[in-house]
């Protein structure tokens, strides 16, 4: 999951575009459906109302927190903002971990370090030729399919800051069709990760059309699975409705990875969302990003991962922050990440411990990092360090040649 200014039109007048996309041509009629939601209808769902009531403009954000509107305007001209009333309600004070994740910061513009696309996700940066623009195909058997570039909130630290929220970069019907054809014609693909932006910002019907078509492709492949990447259980848990879960459930095996970064995001609402998803048989994982001033603290991370398990969400990855332009003020050292990992492994349920990874700049994929649990290695002997830093000797065996 991962991201421009008011000129991009996050105002209510355009909010309807966000949750609808055109119908893929394979599904029923050739007719193009460009149905725009009518916000004035009485039956507007809660999540759409919250999305519509989001703060997106410099004036409203600056007024709320006593900031300089000109400075905020300069930031969101470059990188859009959207903060819905639910997530806003979690802010306790200026610069707290919730605030830092969602409120535009002039530091985003002063950033001399980092690049716009460090993971080389854009087609022109990808090593594999001929991959459609909505796909990132880095691994042999799985790929990322970015079905939306919209998010319920524009996280200030986002890796896809270069593009999310830009209406000029929303997936078109043709681009989606091209992506499907690639998946259909690449039999090695058995695992498709629907990502974004945020995959769950699509309304149920267009989302179901995409999932159904994917299911039709993947269910006949050995060990086919569908994965969703979404921050909505965290930033807009009201999106998770019984209707959504009933739909997803028809296309198992469906997995969902969400993105909690701080214990203050573990609320009654997010718990309700995770419960509905888990009860629909969807295994839930969590991908956190290490962020300075948000969660770069062993005690905070421990509270987060334990809280997640209690919500039936399995911590999956802990990402070292990517060197993305506009986010340097969030970056922490690798040593800090290793220290946090050490504070978890052995000290709490193994189930709560995520794999600490760096997504290699240049597009090398995720590389796991571990503290040095092996102190020394000799023929027939490995000296190990346990979680309490005590040493143990393991009698090693030579491999049969
Ligand atoms: C993270 C990622 C995946 C999924 O990786 P897993 O380790 O299987 O979760 C697939 N494709 C790309 C490009 C990714 O960045
Ligand atoms: S939810 Fe946040 S981190 Fe994820 S893609 Fe959107 S802006 Fe980026």
């Amino acid at each position: 999951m991962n991201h421009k200014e008011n000129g991009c039109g996050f105002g209510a007048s355009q909010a309807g575009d966000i949750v609808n996309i055109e119908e893929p041509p394979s599904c029923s009629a050739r007719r193009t459906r460009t149905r725009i939601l009518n916000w004035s209808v009485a039956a507007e769902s809660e999540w759409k109302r919250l999305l519509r009531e989001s703060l997106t403009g410099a004036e409203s954000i600056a007024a709320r927190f006593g900031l300089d509107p000109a400075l905020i305007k300069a930031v969101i001209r470059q990188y859009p903002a959207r903060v819905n009333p639910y997530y806003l309600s979690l802010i306790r004070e200026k610069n707290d971990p919730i605030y830092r994740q969602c409120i535009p910061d002039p530091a985003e513009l002063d950033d001399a370090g980092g690049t716009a696309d460090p993971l080389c996700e854009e087609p022109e940066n990808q090593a594999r030729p001929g991959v459609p623009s909505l796909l990132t195909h880095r691994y042999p058997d799985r790929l990322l399919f970015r079905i939306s570039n919209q998010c319920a909130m524009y996280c200030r630290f986002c890796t896809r800051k270069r593009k999310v929220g830009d209406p000029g970069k929303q997936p078109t019907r043709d681009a989606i069709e091209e992506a499907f054809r690639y998946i259909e014609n690449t039999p090695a693909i058995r695992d498709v990760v629907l990502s974004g932006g945020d995959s769950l910002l699509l309304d149920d019907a267009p989302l179901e059309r995409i999932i159904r078509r994917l299911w039709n492709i993947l269910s006949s492949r050995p060990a086919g699975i569908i994965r969703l990447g979404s921050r909505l259980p965290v930033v807009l848990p009201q999106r998770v409705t019984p209707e959504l879960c009933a739909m997803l459930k028809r296309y198992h095996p469906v997995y969902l990875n969400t993105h909690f970064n701080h214990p203050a995001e573990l609320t009654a609402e997010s718990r309700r969302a995770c419960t509905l998803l888990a009860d629909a048989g969807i295994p839930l994982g969590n991908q956190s990003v290490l962020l300075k001033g948000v969660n770069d603290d062993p005690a905070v991370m421990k509270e987060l991962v334990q809280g997640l398990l209690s919500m039936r969400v399995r911590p999956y990855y802990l990402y070292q922050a990517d060197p993305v332009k506009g986010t340097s003020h969030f970056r922490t050292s690798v040593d800090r990440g290793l220290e946090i990992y050490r504070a978890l492994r052995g000290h709490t349920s193994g189930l709560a411990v995520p794999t600490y990874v760096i997504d290699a700049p240049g597009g090398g994929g995720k590389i796991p990092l571990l503290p040095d649990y092996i102190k020394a290695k000799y023929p027939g002997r490995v000296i190990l360090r346990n979680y309490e830093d005590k040493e143990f000797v393991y009698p090693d065996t030579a491999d049969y040649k």
Side-chain angles (χ1 to χ4, degrees):
M1 301 172 293
N2 294 324
H3 325 247
K4 257 151 196 260
E5 170 272 345
N6 244 11
C8 300
F10 288 129
S13 61
Q14 294 196 19
D17 300 333
I18 292 155
V19 289
N20 281 286
I21 57 159
E22 294 171 351
E23 184 174 9
S26 71
C27 315
S28 79
R30 308 225 95 174
R31 195 164 45 92
T32 306
R33 266 213 239 162
T34 43
R35 195 165 37 105
I36 303 298
L37 272 178
N38 180 358
W39 293 112
S40 63
V41 297
E44 182 187 35
S45 55
E46 189 187 6
W47 71 273
K48 286 177 190 163
R49 178 184 60 80
L50 287 165
L51 207 52
R52 182 172 49 80
E53 291 175 355
S54 296
L55 300 183
T56 57
E59 298 293 340
S60 57
I61 292 170
R64 178 103 186 187
F65 296 103
L67 307 169
D68 176 352
L71 276 177
I72 302 303
K73 194 172 199 131
V75 178
I76 66 182
R77 190 171 294 133
Q78 191 73 30
Y79 306 116
R82 173 190 271 165
V83 195
N84 70 63
Y86 163 76
Y87 201 76
L88 194 64
S89 76
L90 304 182
I91 296 177
R92 290 287 158 262
E93 58 188 25
K94 214 163 155 174
N95 279 318
D96 75 10
I98 301 292
Y99 177 103
R100 286 177 60 78
Q101 291 187 70
C102 63
I103 305 298
D105 184 334
E108 295 170 46
L109 297 180
D110 302 336
D111 188 3
T115 55
D117 181 21
L119 306 183
C120 297
E121 293 182 316
E122 294 295 332
E124 64 274 20
N125 297 332
Q126 286 197 36
R128 245 177 245 258
V131 175
S133 60
L134 300 180
L135 303 178
T136 305
H137 186 187
R138 177 163 295 145
Y139 297 111
D141 65 343
R142 59 205 190 281
L143 50 71
L144 288 190
F145 185 173
R146 290 182 299 272
I147 58 171
S148 167
N149 79 332
Q150 307 284 311
C151 299
M153 167 170 128
Y154 292 106
C155 308
R156 307 324 298 171
F157 53 84
C158 182
T159 290
R160 298 193 184 125
K161 216 174 162 71
R162 66 183 183 278
K163 64 192 286 178
V164 289
D166 182 342
K169 294 180 180 172
Q170 279 205 68
T172 62
R173 168 195 173 132
D174 286 350
I176 289 177
E177 182 56 27
E178 189 195 5
F180 272 120
R181 285 213 202 92
Y182 181 91
I183 298 167
E184 279 160 359
N185 296 328
T186 314
I189 299 301
R190 44 155 288 278
D191 171 0
V192 173
V193 183
L194 292 178
S195 168
D198 204 305
S199 64
L200 288 187
L201 258 197
L202 266 70
D203 216 339
D204 291 5
L207 181 64
E208 179 164 15
R209 287 192 289 270
I210 287 179
I211 292 182
R212 188 194 306 127
R213 183 156 172 198
L214 261 187
W215 192 91
N216 285 338
I217 303 169
L218 298 173
S219 61
S220 61
R221 294 184 180 172
I225 62 170
I226 296 173
R227 287 201 267 176
L228 298 171
S230 174
R231 215 184 166 196
L232 289 193
V234 185
V235 300
L236 188 60
Q238 296 78 3
R239 169 67 184 97
V240 180
T241 59
E243 294 73 27
L244 173 72
C245 295
M247 181 276 278
L248 293 174
K249 201 178 160 161
R250 292 198 287 272
Y251 301 96
H252 272 316
V254 175
Y255 286 72
L256 187 147
N257 271 342
T258 188
H259 180 170
F260 287 91
N261 284 327
H262 190 274
E265 295 169 337
L266 307 174
T267 63
E269 289 86 349
S270 60
R271 181 175 288 272
R272 183 205 59 91
C274 293
T275 299
L276 279 177
L277 290 162
D279 285 352
I282 301 169
L284 302 176
N286 187 69
Q287 313 194 163
S288 297
V289 185
L290 258 181
L291 300 169
K292 187 187 282 178
V294 175
N295 57 15
D296 58 336
D297 177 281
V300 169
M301 198 57 82
K302 194 165 165 181
E303 187 185 345
L304 174 66
V305 296
Q306 291 175 339
L308 286 168
L309 271 195
S310 81
M311 291 171 39
R312 287 188 280 168
V313 181
R314 167 84 158 90
Y316 179 55
Y317 283 139
L318 172 60
Y319 286 97
Q320 177 69 8
D322 296 320
V324 176
K325 193 171 177 56
T327 67
S328 292
H329 55 300
F330 283 114
R331 291 175 60 201
T332 55
S333 68
V334 169
D335 280 342
R336 188 77 177 150
L338 291 169
E339 179 195 337
I340 290 173
Y341 184 94
R342 282 198 74 102
L344 298 176
R345 173 63 66 198
H347 298 274
T348 190
S349 315
L351 271 178
V353 184
T355 301
Y356 175 39
V357 294
I358 293 187
D359 214 335
K366 297 173 185 76
I367 298 176
L369 304 183
L370 269 182
D372 295 325
Y373 290 117
I374 296 180
K375 191 174 178 207
K377 241 187 213 161
Y378 306 101
R381 222 157 43 103
V382 181
I383 316 295
L384 302 169
R385 239 192 298 247
N386 82 346
Y387 75 104
E388 295 169 307
D389 224 16
K390 291 184 184 141
E391 284 181 21
F392 295 84
V393 179
Y394 176 78
D396 203 8
T397 306
D399 281 325
Y400 174 76
K401 293 251 160 62

